[in-house]
Amino acid sequence: VQLVESGGGLVQPGGSLNLSCAAFGFTRDYGIIGWFRQAPGKEREGVSCISTRTGSTYYLDSVKGRFTISRDNAKNTVYLQMNSLKPEDTAVYYCAAGAYYQGSYRLSYARDYDYWGQGTQVTVSS
């Protein structure tokens, strides 16, 4: 099982990036998939996550209205479209997948995710 992220980079404030996460090797569908981030000196936090069965989504309050999570089932890929980026969005962004959906209130719980990608760096700076 492997999750491969791409799309990170350096962008100016107000700019956009589209992160991709391709999933390989899953023998069964995963119940939840999403994006987490970790900035230097800070704890990892859930950014946006989705239940593959119900379509329920979670967004961190600070990214609501700016970020959008989506999924291409045919390509087994999940995306995070990030618009109006701010310097405080700077972090390593990780894709994660978990076997079971346990309710929308738990979508941001990192411990519910079994598989993690290596991360992609997003830097927002002028």
Side-chain angles (χ1 to χ4, degrees), residues 71-86:
R71 190 168 172 241
D72 185 331
N73 293 335
K75 295 182 178 180
N76 223 16
T77 299
V78 65
Y79 304 94
L80 184 67
Q81 177 65 43
M82 306 187 295
N83 299 327
S84 302
L85 282 161
K86 304 175 181 180

Side-chain angles (χ1 to χ4, degrees), residues 55-96:
S56 296
T57 57
Y58 162 84
Y59 289 96
L60 184 67
D61 283 346
S62 62
V63 308
K64 286 180 180 177
R66 300 188 297 122
F67 291 10
T68 303
I69 192 169
S70 61
R71 190 168 172 241
D72 185 331
N73 293 335
K75 295 182 178 180
N76 223 16
T77 299
V78 65
Y79 304 94
L80 184 67
Q81 177 65 43
M82 306 187 295
N83 299 327
S84 302
L85 282 161
K86 304 175 181 180
E88 50 264 42
D89 295 317
T90 295
V92 177
Y93 283 69
Y94 299 90
C95 178

